[in-house]
Amino acid sequence: GTVWTAGSVQKTRWQQAALHGGGYQYRLCPANALLTEACFQQTPLSFAKPARHTILFEDSKVKINGTIVPDSVTGTGEWMRNPIPDYDSDYNSCNEVLPPGQHCDYDCPGCGAPTYAADKSCPCKCAEAYPQYFPSGEANVGADKELFPDPLAGYADYFDFRTYAIEDDVVVPANMEPGEYVLGWRWDCEQTSQVWSTCADITIVAAAAALDKDKYEKESSFQLRKQ
């Protein structure tokens, strides 16, 4: 499995299937504990400084600046702003609760029969569903290009955001007890009423143990060469 050393900087990756803005955070919870939100909130991971993302295309990569929202603002540790803006987001930025007997016709997993999972949060055009808030009949709810310029301008592959991954560098706390952990990733969307999450198994070892393992592997390699 994946092994991290306490006090080290490690790489993480995620990939999005929709442009929803917002921000995300990586956190750790002991594998033998209840994997609750409260547990993950106890150990949020910091991002390596300076904040940079590596955008991984199929056959190339590019580095772009990252924007960290510090603990002094969030009160829950560091969060990273989603680096990819959505300028044309009228349809996905609002949701509506459909009345009984009507079903959401949005094309998404679980939206149709038998679950009709989106009936209480169906993506819709903001101005059509909430004319009281958009009397002009138009809703400009995307990112402001002057405040949030396109970080991948000029990269043709950028236009299909499903084809690349976003890589970050996170700091493993130096005082982490060695053992088995679950790495949690939480993305709080800004342009939809959604929270996405996923997780991975991580083994954390002490720095001394990592050095001993490296020394053993080098000595073993040397012995094999001598033979």
Side-chain angles (χ1 to χ4, degrees), residues 64-121:
I64 62 175
N65 291 328
T67 301
I68 295 174
V69 184
D71 177 69
S72 60
V73 174
T74 68
T76 57
E78 292 184 352
W79 288 71
M80 181 71 77
R81 183 181 72 173
N82 185 336
I84 309 301
D86 183 12
Y87 299 123
D88 301 313
S89 61
D90 177 44
Y91 195 86
N92 285 326
S93 292
C94 292
N95 303 286
E96 62 178 335
V97 178
L98 298 181
Q102 294 186 23
H103 298 299
C104 182
D105 60 1
Y106 194 70
D107 183 18
C108 66
C111 286
T115 58
Y116 298 110
D119 284 3
K120 293 185 178 181
S121 183

Side-chain angles (χ1 to χ4, degrees), residues 98-156:
L98 298 181
Q102 294 186 23
H103 298 299
C104 182
D105 60 1
Y106 194 70
D107 183 18
C108 66
C111 286
T115 58
Y116 298 110
D119 284 3
K120 293 185 178 181
S121 183
C122 185
C124 61
K125 287 185 175 296
C126 297
E128 292 180 2
Y130 302 101
Q132 66 271 35
Y133 301 122
F134 304 99
S136 68
E138 298 181 359
N140 182 16
V141 291
D144 188 316
K145 293 184 178 181
E146 293 186 4
L147 299 177
F148 196 169
D150 186 349
L152 293 175
Y155 289 88

